[in-house]
Structure formats: structure tokens, C-alpha cells
Amino acid sequence: MSSRKRQDRRPTLEAVAQLAGVGRGTVSRVVNGAPGVSAKARATVEAAIAELNYVPNPAARSLVTSRTDSIALVIPESESRLAAEPYFSAVIRGVSTELADTEMQLLLILVRDERELKRLTRFVEAHRVDGVLLVSVHHDDPLPALLESMQIPTVLAGRRSPDESLSHVHSDNVGGAAQAVRHLLDRGRTSVATITGPLDMDVTRSRLQGWRDAHLERGAAPDESLAAPGDFTEEGGAAAMRELLGRHPGIDAVFAASDVMAAGALAELRERGRRVPEDVAVVGFDDSVVARHTVPPLTSVNQPIEDIGRTITRLLLAEIDNPALPHQRITLPTTLTHRQST
């Protein structure tokens, strides 16, 4: 074999062992981060790895560690919802940022129907990923319980209920909504309606509770007919606004549980000739790019969505490394960003 061919050959684990003067098993334990290697032997092996520029074979490493070095970000929503809702892109940015300095690959998986749920189940059962991040959780969603039964590390962005058993990260939805409604009441608004999301989601129920709490703080029980359900879409926000105006033509403020629904409400108010904020003040939730580009710009509750993405990723990586870790429940703070809509 020529000298050139010998130089082009990829360094082997055996070559590292020979240079370091240790057994092949010792090198394997160092490469895979396994215990049972003295500090002196580890340093010698690491020096040999650096000298030979040895790169472990990913397939062989996977066989040893039973790791795939990949995680799945699962979103049980349609492509249209994924594209229209800034929340999802912000979560994805946060997850990607947290993974940037790791060897983990990110797989984005949409689960839109029963067939795709079964395909995801087979995928996870085959140990094709080391863990799962789950976004947009509904109360009766079978995915969290399914993943929990498979004993695969799983972290949720959001939760099914306050009793959520899996690790999860969410914003202070109750407090953020209450702050938004207090802001409207403090400005003399006397008929503050709310447009909710789907009521089978904890995020919706929590923001609705915040609307109620702000009224109760002022000594008045909220009028439940001032709440109309939406679906976190612009069309849903417009339809809910129409419903509310039909029931209560004198509404002078509305808190929408997302910026996208607030944009729909603004469009409907414009169509009805209602001025914002002179006739009706409007507040959204998310403080997304949508809030900055509505007419007028939207006062909105800022939730740290990218931080949610980063935090769920940190929790998942920790659980992958140590499945015995206790589950974590983290609530991130919210603040109100003031703009011209109020």
C-alpha cells in the first residue's frame, strides 16, 4: 500500500488504543462517555484521539450506546396552522438554538390524523429518536399518555391540565391574561369581552381564568356571555368578534387569547365601523410579529416563546442523559407590551 493510501485511511479505534497503550474497551468507554476509566487513562486516550484526529463511527457508537443522537419535535397541527401561527416558528427557533452546540439532530413531525399518529407510534417504538418534544397539547390528546407508556423521555410545551405528570414548560397564562384585562379596566373600559381558544386546551382555560380573576379583583363577577370561543386562527377571531357584537353591541374592549385572533377581531371591528381604540380597545396575547403589524399596532401580553423552546430542550436533554431525573414543571413570566390598540 502506498504512503498516500495509508494517510488517507480513517483512523480506527484500534489505532487509538495502540497509540494510547490501552485496551480497545478503554477507548470505547472514553468515546462513549462511560464510567470506569481512570483520569490518567482518559487523558491519555483523549490525547491519542486528538493526535490521530479520530472521529467515532456514528453507527457503531449508536450500537454501543443505544442512542440515535436525534430528537423529535412533534406538533399535532396542520401545515396551514403551522405556517399561520408565529408561536410555532418561535418555539422551533428556541429548540434549534439550544441544540446548536450539541450533536443532536432535530426531526419535525406533524401529526394530523390517526394514520400519522400510528406512524409516529411505530417510529418511537423502533427507538428512532432519543426523546420527544410535544407542542400544542389538547386535554384529550392521546400522544402524551402514549409516549409516557413507552417510557421515552418526553417534555411538553404547555400541559394537559394543572396535574400534568410529564415535564413541561409554559407561560404564566393566568397572570398574563389578568394583567391584560386589568389594563383595560384601568382605562375606564366597562364591558370587557374575551375571545378564547379551544376550551379543551389548558392554555385556553388558564387565559379565560385570568379574564375572570381580573374582574373578581374589582369586586364584580364576570358576565360569562362576554366570552366567545375561537380557535387560535384569524378567521376564528373574526367570527367570535361578530358573535360578541351580536350579543353585546356596547362592548368597549376585548381581550383575545392570541395575537392572530386579535387580528381577526380588528378586521371585524373595522368592517363594522368601530374605531380602535376610541370605540373598542383590543389586547392580544403572544406579542408576536403580528402585534407589531396590525392597524393599529396591538397591545399584547408578551410570553417568552423562544425561551419556552430552549427550556423544553434543556429539560429533554437532561432526561435523555439521566432518565431517573424527577419531572420538572416550569412557569415562565409574562409582561404586557403597550401599543396603540388600547
PDB file of all heavy atoms in Angstrom, residues 231-256:
ATOM      1  N   ASP A 231     -60.514  29.707  17.819  1.00  0.00           N
ATOM      2  CA  ASP A 231     -59.709  28.505  17.555  1.00  0.00           C
ATOM      3  C   ASP A 231     -58.251  28.836  17.267  1.00  0.00           C
ATOM      4  O   ASP A 231     -57.541  28.071  16.646  1.00  0.00           O
ATOM      5  CB  ASP A 231     -60.309  27.733  16.375  1.00  0.00           C
ATOM      6  CG  ASP A 231     -60.397  28.577  15.107  1.00  0.00           C
ATOM      7  OD1 ASP A 231     -59.958  29.759  15.140  1.00  0.00           O
ATOM      8  OD2 ASP A 231     -60.890  28.072  14.086  1.00  0.00           O
ATOM      9  N   PHE A 232     -57.804  30.015  17.731  1.00  0.00           N
ATOM     10  CA  PHE A 232     -56.434  30.496  17.516  1.00  0.00           C
ATOM     11  C   PHE A 232     -56.145  30.815  16.054  1.00  0.00           C
ATOM     12  O   PHE A 232     -54.976  30.901  15.668  1.00  0.00           O
ATOM     13  CB  PHE A 232     -55.398  29.514  18.076  1.00  0.00           C
ATOM     14  CG  PHE A 232     -55.337  29.478  19.577  1.00  0.00           C
ATOM     15  CD1 PHE A 232     -55.394  28.273  20.258  1.00  0.00           C
ATOM     16  CD2 PHE A 232     -55.232  30.645  20.323  1.00  0.00           C
ATOM     17  CE1 PHE A 232     -55.353  28.234  21.653  1.00  0.00           C
ATOM     18  CE2 PHE A 232     -55.195  30.615  21.712  1.00  0.00           C
ATOM     19  CZ  PHE A 232     -55.255  29.407  22.382  1.00  0.00           C
ATOM     20  N   THR A 233     -57.187  30.994  15.229  1.00  0.00           N
ATOM     21  CA  THR A 233     -56.979  31.426  13.851  1.00  0.00           C
ATOM     22  C   THR A 233     -57.563  32.826  13.675  1.00  0.00           C
ATOM     23  O   THR A 233     -58.405  33.274  14.463  1.00  0.00           O
ATOM     24  CB  THR A 233     -57.657  30.488  12.836  1.00  0.00           C
ATOM     25  OG1 THR A 233     -59.083  30.603  12.956  1.00  0.00           O
ATOM     26  CG2 THR A 233     -57.226  29.038  13.055  1.00  0.00           C
ATOM     27  N   GLU A 234     -57.150  33.510  12.594  1.00  0.00           N
ATOM     28  CA  GLU A 234     -57.677  34.847  12.317  1.00  0.00           C
ATOM     29  C   GLU A 234     -59.169  34.779  12.011  1.00  0.00           C
ATOM     30  O   GLU A 234     -59.945  35.625  12.475  1.00  0.00           O
ATOM     31  CB  GLU A 234     -56.920  35.455  11.135  1.00  0.00           C
ATOM     32  CG  GLU A 234     -57.251  36.908  10.894  1.00  0.00           C
ATOM     33  CD  GLU A 234     -56.345  37.547   9.858  1.00  0.00           C
ATOM     34  OE1 GLU A 234     -55.373  36.885   9.423  1.00  0.00           O
ATOM     35  OE2 GLU A 234     -56.605  38.710   9.487  1.00  0.00           O
ATOM     36  N   GLU A 235     -59.569  33.762  11.244  1.00  0.00           N
ATOM     37  CA  GLU A 235     -60.981  33.591  10.922  1.00  0.00           C
ATOM     38  C   GLU A 235     -61.805  33.332  12.177  1.00  0.00           C
ATOM     39  O   GLU A 235     -62.914  33.859  12.327  1.00  0.00           O
ATOM     40  CB  GLU A 235     -61.166  32.448   9.926  1.00  0.00           C
ATOM     41  CG  GLU A 235     -60.521  32.656   8.567  1.00  0.00           C
ATOM     42  CD  GLU A 235     -59.018  32.424   8.586  1.00  0.00           C
ATOM     43  OE1 GLU A 235     -58.499  31.845   9.579  1.00  0.00           O
ATOM     44  OE2 GLU A 235     -58.349  32.835   7.620  1.00  0.00           O
ATOM     45  N   GLY A 236     -61.255  32.522  13.076  1.00  0.00           N
ATOM     46  CA  GLY A 236     -61.947  32.245  14.332  1.00  0.00           C
ATOM     47  C   GLY A 236     -62.092  33.491  15.190  1.00  0.00           C
ATOM     48  O   GLY A 236     -63.123  33.694  15.851  1.00  0.00           O
ATOM     49  N   GLY A 237     -61.072  34.354  15.183  1.00  0.00           N
ATOM     50  CA  GLY A 237     -61.160  35.602  15.940  1.00  0.00           C
ATOM     51  C   GLY A 237     -62.225  36.535  15.391  1.00  0.00           C
ATOM     52  O   GLY A 237     -62.976  37.161  16.145  1.00  0.00           O
ATOM     53  N   ALA A 238     -62.311  36.610  14.043  1.00  0.00           N
ATOM     54  CA  ALA A 238     -63.333  37.460  13.425  1.00  0.00           C
ATOM     55  C   ALA A 238     -64.733  36.939  13.723  1.00  0.00           C
ATOM     56  O   ALA A 238     -65.653  37.712  14.044  1.00  0.00           O
ATOM     57  CB  ALA A 238     -63.096  37.531  11.914  1.00  0.00           C
ATOM     58  N   ALA A 239     -64.916  35.621  13.630  1.00  0.00           N
ATOM     59  CA  ALA A 239     -66.234  35.030  13.898  1.00  0.00           C
ATOM     60  C   ALA A 239     -66.653  35.255  15.347  1.00  0.00           C
ATOM     61  O   ALA A 239     -67.820  35.567  15.639  1.00  0.00           O
ATOM     62  CB  ALA A 239     -66.202  33.536  13.575  1.00  0.00           C
ATOM     63  N   ALA A 240     -65.708  35.110  16.286  1.00  0.00           N
ATOM     64  CA  ALA A 240     -66.022  35.330  17.701  1.00  0.00           C
ATOM     65  C   ALA A 240     -66.375  36.796  17.956  1.00  0.00           C
ATOM     66  O   ALA A 240     -67.278  37.101  18.745  1.00  0.00           O
ATOM     67  CB  ALA A 240     -64.839  34.906  18.571  1.00  0.00           C
ATOM     68  N   MET A 241     -65.676  37.698  17.261  1.00  0.00           N
ATOM     69  CA  MET A 241     -65.986  39.125  17.421  1.00  0.00           C
ATOM     70  C   MET A 241     -67.389  39.431  16.917  1.00  0.00           C
ATOM     71  O   MET A 241     -68.135  40.198  17.547  1.00  0.00           O
ATOM     72  CB  MET A 241     -64.946  39.952  16.649  1.00  0.00           C
ATOM     73  CG  MET A 241     -64.964  41.438  17.000  1.00  0.00           C
ATOM     74  SD  MET A 241     -64.306  41.810  18.639  1.00  0.00           S
ATOM     75  CE  MET A 241     -65.784  42.323  19.519  1.00  0.00           C
ATOM     76  N   ARG A 242     -67.777  38.817  15.794  1.00  0.00           N
ATOM     77  CA  ARG A 242     -69.143  39.002  15.286  1.00  0.00           C
ATOM     78  C   ARG A 242     -70.168  38.513  16.289  1.00  0.00           C
ATOM     79  O   ARG A 242     -71.194  39.144  16.542  1.00  0.00           O
ATOM     80  CB  ARG A 242     -69.325  38.247  13.956  1.00  0.00           C
ATOM     81  CG  ARG A 242     -68.792  38.960  12.756  1.00  0.00           C
ATOM     82  CD  ARG A 242     -69.304  38.341  11.465  1.00  0.00           C
ATOM     83  NE  ARG A 242     -68.898  36.951  11.299  1.00  0.00           N
ATOM     84  CZ  ARG A 242     -67.733  36.576  10.786  1.00  0.00           C
ATOM     85  NH1 ARG A 242     -66.834  37.498  10.418  1.00  0.00           N
ATOM     86  NH2 ARG A 242     -67.447  35.307  10.648  1.00  0.00           N
ATOM     87  N   GLU A 243     -69.883  37.341  16.883  1.00  0.00           N
ATOM     88  CA  GLU A 243     -70.790  36.767  17.875  1.00  0.00           C
ATOM     89  C   GLU A 243     -70.935  37.688  19.079  1.00  0.00           C
ATOM     90  O   GLU A 243     -72.045  37.921  19.574  1.00  0.00           O
ATOM     91  CB  GLU A 243     -70.268  35.395  18.296  1.00  0.00           C
ATOM     92  CG  GLU A 243     -71.133  34.686  19.320  1.00  0.00           C
ATOM     93  CD  GLU A 243     -70.536  33.339  19.749  1.00  0.00           C
ATOM     94  OE1 GLU A 243     -69.766  32.736  18.960  1.00  0.00           O
ATOM     95  OE2 GLU A 243     -70.827  32.903  20.883  1.00  0.00           O
ATOM     96  N   LEU A 244     -69.836  38.215  19.551  1.00  0.00           N
ATOM     97  CA  LEU A 244     -69.871  39.092  20.727  1.00  0.00           C
ATOM     98  C   LEU A 244     -70.629  40.386  20.440  1.00  0.00           C
ATOM     99  O   LEU A 244     -71.435  40.841  21.261  1.00  0.00           O
ATOM    100  CB  LEU A 244     -68.443  39.406  21.174  1.00  0.00           C
ATOM    101  CG  LEU A 244     -67.690  38.258  21.861  1.00  0.00           C
ATOM    102  CD1 LEU A 244     -66.206  38.568  21.953  1.00  0.00           C
ATOM    103  CD2 LEU A 244     -68.272  37.980  23.243  1.00  0.00           C
ATOM    104  N   LEU A 245     -70.391  40.993  19.282  1.00  0.00           N
ATOM    105  CA  LEU A 245     -71.084  42.229  18.929  1.00  0.00           C
ATOM    106  C   LEU A 245     -72.579  41.998  18.746  1.00  0.00           C
ATOM    107  O   LEU A 245     -73.399  42.879  19.041  1.00  0.00           O
ATOM    108  CB  LEU A 245     -70.479  42.833  17.661  1.00  0.00           C
ATOM    109  CG  LEU A 245     -69.066  43.417  17.819  1.00  0.00           C
ATOM    110  CD1 LEU A 245     -68.487  43.767  16.462  1.00  0.00           C
ATOM    111  CD2 LEU A 245     -69.087  44.644  18.731  1.00  0.00           C
ATOM    112  N   GLY A 246     -72.930  40.796  18.279  1.00  0.00           N
ATOM    113  CA  GLY A 246     -74.347  40.470  18.148  1.00  0.00           C
ATOM    114  C   GLY A 246     -75.034  40.375  19.494  1.00  0.00           C
ATOM    115  O   GLY A 246     -76.199  40.778  19.645  1.00  0.00           O
ATOM    116  N   ARG A 247     -74.331  39.852  20.496  1.00  0.00           N
ATOM    117  CA  ARG A 247     -74.912  39.713  21.838  1.00  0.00           C
ATOM    118  C   ARG A 247     -74.827  41.000  22.634  1.00  0.00           C
ATOM    119  O   ARG A 247     -75.712  41.318  23.429  1.00  0.00           O
ATOM    120  CB  ARG A 247     -74.186  38.592  22.601  1.00  0.00           C
ATOM    121  CG  ARG A 247     -74.501  37.200  22.119  1.00  0.00           C
ATOM    122  CD  ARG A 247     -74.243  36.169  23.217  1.00  0.00           C
ATOM    123  NE  ARG A 247     -72.860  36.120  23.648  1.00  0.00           N
ATOM    124  CZ  ARG A 247     -71.990  35.174  23.278  1.00  0.00           C
ATOM    125  NH1 ARG A 247     -72.359  34.224  22.424  1.00  0.00           N
ATOM    126  NH2 ARG A 247     -70.756  35.181  23.731  1.00  0.00           N
ATOM    127  N   HIS A 248     -73.698  41.715  22.463  1.00  0.00           N
ATOM    128  CA  HIS A 248     -73.424  42.907  23.281  1.00  0.00           C
ATOM    129  C   HIS A 248     -72.901  44.025  22.386  1.00  0.00           C
ATOM    130  O   HIS A 248     -71.684  44.259  22.316  1.00  0.00           O
ATOM    131  CB  HIS A 248     -72.391  42.584  24.367  1.00  0.00           C
ATOM    132  CG  HIS A 248     -72.835  41.559  25.359  1.00  0.00           C
ATOM    133  ND1 HIS A 248     -73.651  41.859  26.426  1.00  0.00           N
ATOM    134  CD2 HIS A 248     -72.576  40.225  25.438  1.00  0.00           C
ATOM    135  CE1 HIS A 248     -73.875  40.763  27.128  1.00  0.00           C
ATOM    136  NE2 HIS A 248     -73.242  39.755  26.543  1.00  0.00           N
ATOM    137  N   PRO A 249     -73.778  44.759  21.709  1.00  0.00           N
ATOM    138  CA  PRO A 249     -73.325  45.830  20.811  1.00  0.00           C
ATOM    139  C   PRO A 249     -72.513  46.917  21.516  1.00  0.00           C
ATOM    140  O   PRO A 249     -71.723  47.616  20.873  1.00  0.00           O
ATOM    141  CB  PRO A 249     -74.642  46.409  20.261  1.00  0.00           C
ATOM    142  CG  PRO A 249     -75.642  45.316  20.454  1.00  0.00           C
ATOM    143  CD  PRO A 249     -75.245  44.593  21.693  1.00  0.00           C
ATOM    144  N   GLY A 250     -72.670  47.024  22.842  1.00  0.00           N
ATOM    145  CA  GLY A 250     -71.981  48.089  23.573  1.00  0.00           C
ATOM    146  C   GLY A 250     -70.602  47.719  24.082  1.00  0.00           C
ATOM    147  O   GLY A 250     -70.018  48.474  24.878  1.00  0.00           O
ATOM    148  N   ILE A 251     -70.051  46.601  23.662  1.00  0.00           N
ATOM    149  CA  ILE A 251     -68.700  46.208  24.093  1.00  0.00           C
ATOM    150  C   ILE A 251     -67.718  47.350  23.816  1.00  0.00           C
ATOM    151  O   ILE A 251     -67.702  47.928  22.726  1.00  0.00           O
ATOM    152  CB  ILE A 251     -68.246  44.941  23.323  1.00  0.00           C
ATOM    153  CG1 ILE A 251     -68.959  43.700  23.872  1.00  0.00           C
ATOM    154  CG2 ILE A 251     -66.739  44.762  23.415  1.00  0.00           C
ATOM    155  CD1 ILE A 251     -68.732  42.468  23.028  1.00  0.00           C
ATOM    156  N   ASP A 252     -66.883  47.669  24.825  1.00  0.00           N
ATOM    157  CA  ASP A 252     -65.890  48.719  24.590  1.00  0.00           C
ATOM    158  C   ASP A 252     -64.450  48.213  24.729  1.00  0.00           C
ATOM    159  O   ASP A 252     -63.500  49.002  24.650  1.00  0.00           O
ATOM    160  CB  ASP A 252     -66.124  49.933  25.490  1.00  0.00           C
ATOM    161  CG  ASP A 252     -66.064  49.602  26.983  1.00  0.00           C
ATOM    162  OD1 ASP A 252     -65.712  48.458  27.335  1.00  0.00           O
ATOM    163  OD2 ASP A 252     -66.378  50.501  27.794  1.00  0.00           O
ATOM    164  N   ALA A 253     -64.275  46.892  24.935  1.00  0.00           N
ATOM    165  CA  ALA A 253     -62.920  46.328  24.992  1.00  0.00           C
ATOM    166  C   ALA A 253     -63.006  44.813  24.785  1.00  0.00           C
ATOM    167  O   ALA A 253     -64.028  44.196  25.120  1.00  0.00           O
ATOM    168  CB  ALA A 253     -62.250  46.628  26.331  1.00  0.00           C
ATOM    169  N   VAL A 254     -61.933  44.259  24.251  1.00  0.00           N
ATOM    170  CA  VAL A 254     -61.874  42.805  24.076  1.00  0.00           C
ATOM    171  C   VAL A 254     -60.447  42.323  24.292  1.00  0.00           C
ATOM    172  O   VAL A 254     -59.487  42.940  23.817  1.00  0.00           O
ATOM    173  CB  VAL A 254     -62.399  42.376  22.677  1.00  0.00           C
ATOM    174  CG1 VAL A 254     -61.561  42.984  21.557  1.00  0.00           C
ATOM    175  CG2 VAL A 254     -62.427  40.859  22.545  1.00  0.00           C
ATOM    176  N   PHE A 255     -60.334  41.256  25.050  1.00  0.00           N
ATOM    177  CA  PHE A 255     -59.056  40.569  25.239  1.00  0.00           C
ATOM    178  C   PHE A 255     -59.115  39.274  24.442  1.00  0.00           C
ATOM    179  O   PHE A 255     -59.958  38.411  24.710  1.00  0.00           O
ATOM    180  CB  PHE A 255     -58.800  40.272  26.717  1.00  0.00           C
ATOM    181  CG  PHE A 255     -57.736  39.220  26.939  1.00  0.00           C
ATOM    182  CD1 PHE A 255     -56.446  39.423  26.500  1.00  0.00           C
ATOM    183  CD2 PHE A 255     -58.051  38.015  27.563  1.00  0.00           C
ATOM    184  CE1 PHE A 255     -55.463  38.448  26.674  1.00  0.00           C
ATOM    185  CE2 PHE A 255     -57.088  37.035  27.748  1.00  0.00           C
ATOM    186  CZ  PHE A 255     -55.782  37.247  27.302  1.00  0.00           C
ATOM    187  N   ALA A 256     -58.251  39.154  23.439  1.00  0.00           N
ATOM    188  CA  ALA A 256     -58.181  37.936  22.623  1.00  0.00           C
ATOM    189  C   ALA A 256     -57.019  37.083  23.107  1.00  0.00           C
ATOM    190  O   ALA A 256     -55.925  37.603  23.386  1.00  0.00           O
ATOM    191  CB  ALA A 256     -58.001  38.284  21.150  1.00  0.00           C
TER     192      ALA A 256
END
